[in-house]
Amino acid sequence: MKALTILLIFLSSLSLTAQKVLQYNLKTDDTFRVEQQAKQHITQDINGVDQIINNHLKSVMQFKVVKVEQDVIVLEMTFQHLKMTMSSPELGELLNADTANEDDADLTSKMFKGTLNIPVTMIMERTGKIQSISGGEELIASMFKAANIIDGATIEANKAQFEKQFGSEALSNSFEQMTYFLPAKAVTINDTWENVYQGDLRAKNKWTLSTYTEDAYTVSGNADVTMSNIDENVTMVLTGTQKTTINANSKTGLFKEITVEGIYIGDTQVNAQNMTIPTEITSTITYKILN
């Protein structure tokens, strides 16, 4: 009896410490929808007076698996809904753009409508690292078309700004924030690994496998972050930290819900006025599988 008890304890300990391979296991024609919500609270000290801006972005994206290979998964993404609001306690509502808006006079909403149902192709490694994205150029062209902007000079003057949000490289960097959190090696509970996000939000992430069952697992992450937005008019560089919590499906590797909380502090340089504005941003971003 004593020997049996020891054996059971031994087998139980093996189960607890067994290594897990965390990766995406999706099949061709799998589809899922993701709702993203991003809230930013921006405080800028302008000559000793705080100016506050609140941004809220909501989007719904549909993903379809079009091909599965040994090392990569090819997905097609389309936007199904996009809404952005910007407001200030002092200045009131500054922007309210929504693809559900029926007002044809709202130029920003019309441009957002141009993003709907335009396919973007994503090639993703099984860790969630994105090798490439194509379709960003078509997305931006559709935005200009939806707003009936056909003048070549106007398009060229504004294209670079749209590429920072909707270009293929920008989309790749953005999507990695909801896909790229899996390790390249087998891990056990409490093991850690690292990766880096590139782009305007550059983050060095340290991940930990917190829990694991046959059906679900959780990953927690902490990151040191540099947020930058640099153009000929404004230079903003902020540094800070992010804390991420991920609940995911053990069978598919796909997240169920992600929460990212961050705080970033630095300066905004307005070049034309030679003005330096202390800036602080707190943000909460959530991603949720809708089906």
Side-chain angles (χ1 to χ4, degrees):
M1 181 65 68
K2 183 177 180 181
L4 179 59
T5 301
I6 293 173
L7 176 61
L8 290 174
I9 292 173
F10 174 69
L11 292 175
S12 176
S13 68
L14 283 181
S15 175
L16 289 172
T17 60
Q19 290 190 323
K20 313 297 181 185
V21 177
L22 305 183
Q23 63 177 15
Y24 289 98
N25 294 302
L26 301 173
K27 303 187 297 297
T28 301
D29 294 329
D30 280 352
T31 61
F32 54 94
R33 291 192 306 147
V34 177
E35 178 188 84
Q36 176 194 16
Q37 294 210 45
K39 296 180 180 180
Q40 283 186 334
H41 180 80
I42 305 172
T43 303
Q44 294 185 310
D45 181 352
I46 302 178
N47 297 323
V49 178
D50 283 349
Q51 177 175 285
I52 296 172
I53 301 291
N54 292 307
N55 295 326
H56 184 193
L57 172 68
K58 180 179 179 181
S59 66
V60 176
M61 300 163 279
Q62 177 164 294
F63 292 82
K64 180 179 180 180
V65 179
V66 296
K67 185 188 294 185
V68 176
E69 299 179 351
Q70 182 175 350
D71 297 323
V72 299
I73 299 170
V74 182
L75 302 104
E76 185 178 89
M77 186 284 299
T78 54
F79 286 109
Q80 296 190 324
H81 181 220
L82 195 60
K83 178 179 180 178
M84 182 175 181
T85 61
M86 180 186 298
S87 63
S88 166
E90 298 83 10
L91 305 174
E93 186 175 85
L94 303 172
L95 175 69
N96 189 344
D98 191 342
T99 55
N101 193 343
E102 299 293 337
D103 183 4
D104 288 337
D106 185 350
L107 182 64
T108 307
S109 291
K110 288 170 70 174
M111 296 196 80
F112 276 12
K113 288 180 183 180
T115 66
L116 301 183
N117 303 312
I118 303 298
V120 172
T121 300
M122 179 170 77
I123 300 177
M124 181 181 74
E125 297 175 10
R126 290 186 181 270
T127 60
K129 183 172 179 58
I130 297 174
Q131 286 190 355
S132 67
I133 281 186
S134 58
E137 289 291 321
E138 290 77 8
L139 197 67
I140 294 170
S142 180
M143 294 174 73
F144 284 118
K145 182 178 179 181
N148 198 30
I149 297 174
I150 57 176
D151 178 66
T154 301
I155 292 173
E156 203 58 37
N158 291 279
K159 189 176 179 181
Q161 196 62 37
F162 283 96
E163 285 178 341
K164 294 179 71 173
Q165 302 297 325
F166 295 101
S168 293
E169 182 179 354
L171 289 173
S172 178
N173 294 333
S174 177
F175 287 155
E176 278 196 343
Q177 294 176 47
M178 71 174 177
T179 64
Y180 186 28
F181 55 86
L182 298 178
K185 60 181 181 181
V187 293
T188 62
I189 292 176
N190 294 326
D191 276 357
T192 63
W193 61 96
E194 295 183 355
N195 66 15
V196 175
Y197 296 155
Q198 303 289 352
D200 289 345
L201 191 147
R202 190 179 189 280
K204 183 177 181 181
N205 303 285
K206 183 175 182 179
W207 305 102
T208 303
L209 178 61
S210 302
T211 66
Y212 186 93
T213 69
E214 288 186 359
D215 297 318
Y217 65 90
T218 59
V219 169
S220 60
N222 292 286
D224 294 321
V225 178
T226 299
M227 178 187 292
S228 60
N229 185 5
I230 299 172
D231 60 36
E232 61 183 10
N233 300 312
V234 176
T235 300
M236 183 187 75
V237 179
L238 312 177
T239 58
T241 57
Q242 280 186 175
K243 181 179 180 180
T244 303
T245 304
I246 301 166
N247 297 311
N249 184 311
S250 298
K251 294 181 172 61
T252 64
L254 195 64
F255 67 87
K256 299 176 183 177
E257 189 167 359
I258 300 175
T259 301
V260 185
E261 297 176 312
I263 181 167
Y264 323 98
I265 298 172
D267 293 315
T268 300
Q269 180 75 38
V270 183
N271 300 329
Q273 301 176 26
N274 194 26
M275 179 186 294
T276 299
I277 303 172
T279 302
E280 178 177 321
I281 298 178
T282 58
S283 74
T284 301
I285 304 172
T286 60
Y287 303 92
K288 184 183 297 184
I289 298 292
L290 297 179
N291 60 324

